[in-house]
Amino acid sequence: MAKSAVQEFTKGLWAEVPPFRLVLGLCPILAVTKTLENGVGMGVATTFVLVCSNMLISLLRDVIPKQVRIACYIVVIATFVTVVELLMQAFAYPLFLKLGIFIPLIVVNCIVLGRAEAFAAKNGVVASFADGLGMGVGFTLSLTALSIFREIFGSGTLTLPFISTVLPVFGPSFEPFAFLVEAPGAFLCLGLMLCIMNMLGKK
Amino acid sequence: MREMIRLLVVIAVFSAVSGGLLAAIQKGTKDRIEYQQLKFVKGPTIQQILEGSSNDPLVDRFKLPDGKEERSFFVGVFDGKANIVALEAFGKGFGGDIGVIIAVNVENDEIVGIGVTTHSETPGVGSKVKTDTSLSEQFKGLPIKEPFKVKADGGQIDAISGATVSSRGVCGAVVGSAEIYMRLKKDIIEKLKAFKT
């Protein structure tokens, strides 16, 4: 049953959106979604790694021996992650300072390895590209949604990505729910998001 | 056995290729990363001390070997003359090392200004050495040969009250950079000449 590239792309946006449907890759989701800027930055970095590693692994799927495939995938993924890390240091240093350890940790993000193993290893380059892009965009949108919610209510501001402008949303008299930008608040928000997603998805 | 060797070869090739790629990218981005680190970590302090310079001190920098270490120097051009040089040294504070940048005028060996870059002092107490300018102001215009000490140690610097240890650390860092400066002065002047042309 061969699906079109468009279908492979769109499934990552809703039907199999990684953090909420597959519930994979939660570590960065919980940790970096304190501000919108961090969330989007993390999403873009992960998308880049996903697309590149999916395509390369799909190209090399006949070369990689079955017994050592995981090791090979990790080498490919780790390479792209380090590329992202270096590029981010060179071109977006303030963002790199904020995301810090979570950039190298993309290596162990289950989504990236998961897509490599479950999809790229069995499908062609175009389909793998569409799958990686769809998953990446879905991941980015999830991070965006979660970080908008947490930042608006947790700090009362909104940091616009790429230009680092902080917009006050509620004005100075707003007392922020500081709880939401702490780790337990992240779990709470994620739970609520999952709940809403399941409610909407129920037939 | 042959299968084993095949696996080894594949992994070895994978690792070698990715290693080579990363080395190339690291080489390509090295200068830019260094500049970015300077800009966002030391940059604000350097720009504050060398305010009004007609050049970008972060771009006009040079390195000199000092024993086994290599030190960075930042050049400030004022009135068309490259005669101010800024360098960083560390002093022992209350919570760890305090990094201090000092800018020196090479013509008369006077301190133009100092500023704290990195520190791990107690927030709100020792951290005042970075935010409270009353300490750094005292160094302005002093000749570099002074033995910088806080008043509690018999020196001339008024420590920030409650932060004597941190202030002492700043003095120590200034003494450290003064030593580096005196030691490398010849080379520094040589390098500065290149900027004048």
Side-chain angles (χ1 to χ4, degrees):
Chain A
M1 192 179 77
K3 285 194 228 162
S4 73
V6 178
Q7 279 172 307
E8 299 293 1
F9 174 72
T10 49
K11 76 168 190 280
L13 300 185
W14 182 257
E16 288 179 29
V17 56
F20 301 135
R21 287 280 193 253
L22 308 177
V23 201
L24 283 181
L26 293 187
C27 160
I29 287 232
L30 298 172
V32 305
T33 52
K34 284 179 188 172
T35 66
L36 178 60
E37 186 186 26
N38 289 6
V40 174
M42 187 71 191
V44 171
T46 312
T47 306
F48 174 81
V49 174
L50 250 173
V51 171
C52 293
S53 65
N54 249 17
M55 283 173 71
L56 192 64
I57 286 165
S58 165
L59 272 175
L60 295 171
R61 66 186 190 278
D62 295 326
V63 185
I64 299 173
K66 260 221 140 53
Q67 299 93 319
V68 291
R69 62 182 194 284
I70 301 290
C72 292
Y73 297 163
I74 288 289
V75 170
V76 170
I77 294 166
T79 307
F80 283 119
V81 169
T82 316
V83 168
V84 167
E85 197 187 349
L86 288 170
L87 290 181
M88 199 177 258
Q89 279 190 61
F91 296 101
Y93 197 73
L95 184 64
F96 173 79
L97 286 181
K98 278 184 220 146
L99 293 179
I101 184 69
F102 293 102
I103 292 296
L105 277 180
I106 298 174
V107 177
V108 289
N109 192 321
C110 320
I111 300 172
V112 186
L113 186 61
R115 294 326 289 176
E117 166 78 4
F119 196 91
K122 297 168 195 149
N123 291 281
V125 181
V126 179
S128 299
F129 170 79
D131 176 77
L133 192 64
M135 286 290 161
V137 172
F139 184 72
T140 309
L141 289 179
S142 317
L143 281 175
T144 308
L146 206 58
S147 54
I148 286 179
F149 183 78
R150 283 181 72 194
E151 195 184 352
I152 285 188
F153 291 103
S155 0
T157 58
L158 205 54
T159 317
L160 296 181
F162 307 117
I163 48 172
S164 297
T165 314
V166 181
L167 295 178
V169 177
F170 289 119
S173 56
F174 173 70
E175 184 61 43
F177 300 101
F179 169 72
L180 284 183
V181 288
E182 303 292 333
F187 278 103
L188 193 80
C189 293
L190 181 73
L192 281 172
M193 283 293 226
L194 279 174
C195 170
I196 294 169
M197 288 286 286
N198 282 339
M199 239 165 67
L200 292 175
K202 210 158 76 176
K203 297 228 169 90
Chain B
M1 193 56 200
R2 279 193 58 196
E3 184 63 15
M4 259 310 241
I5 292 168
R6 197 171 78 93
L7 299 184
L8 281 175
V9 168
V10 169
I11 292 201
V13 168
F14 259 81
S15 311
V17 170
S18 81
L21 180 76
L22 288 181
I25 290 179
Q26 204 210 358
K27 208 158 176 255
T29 52
K30 199 176 153 230
D31 289 340
R32 226 195 123 85
I33 291 176
E34 200 185 298
Y35 180 75
Q36 295 273 312
Q37 282 169 343
L38 286 175
K39 189 173 166 191
F40 289 102
V41 180
K42 295 178 191 166
T45 313
I46 294 176
Q47 247 127 28
Q48 191 192 331
I49 306 172
L50 297 178
E51 208 186 343
S53 68
S54 55
N55 66 329
D56 183 354
L58 295 183
V59 176
D60 293 334
R61 62 178 196 271
F62 57 89
K63 282 184 178 169
L64 285 175
D66 177 23
K68 277 177 191 161
E69 281 178 87
E70 203 173 45
R71 298 190 190 278
S72 290
F73 297 87
F74 306 91
V75 181
V77 179
F78 288 88
D79 303 325
K81 280 197 289 186
N83 50 8
I84 314 276
V85 69
L87 63 151
E88 187 180 32
F90 295 90
K92 195 101 202 87
F94 188 71
D97 282 347
I98 303 178
V100 179
I101 298 239
I102 77 165
V104 188
N105 188 331
V106 292
E107 283 176 354
N108 54 13
D109 290 350
E110 271 180 15
I111 293 179
V112 179
I114 74 157
V116 175
T117 48
T118 50
H119 69 86
S120 38
E121 302 307 291
T122 321
V125 187
S127 68
K128 276 188 192 154
V129 294
K130 186 177 171 109
T131 50
D132 193 336
T133 49
S134 70
L135 181 72
S136 51
E137 284 292 326
Q138 294 177 53
F139 289 90
K140 271 191 188 164
L142 289 181
I144 190 99
K145 287 191 182 108
E146 296 256 329
F148 301 100
K149 278 181 182 167
V150 291
K151 279 193 174 144
D153 298 342
Q156 74 283 50
I157 303 296
D158 233 338
I160 289 173
S161 59
T164 311
V165 178
S166 308
S167 306
R168 195 179 282 151
V170 173
C171 288
V174 174
V175 170
S177 11
E179 279 167 6
I180 298 168
Y181 171 77
M182 294 313 286
R183 198 159 57 223
L184 300 174
K185 195 181 167 190
K186 249 192 203 159
D187 300 330
I188 292 173
I189 289 173
E190 272 305 302
K191 286 273 187 187
L192 284 181
K193 273 183 190 154
F195 282 96
K196 282 176 183 166
T197 50

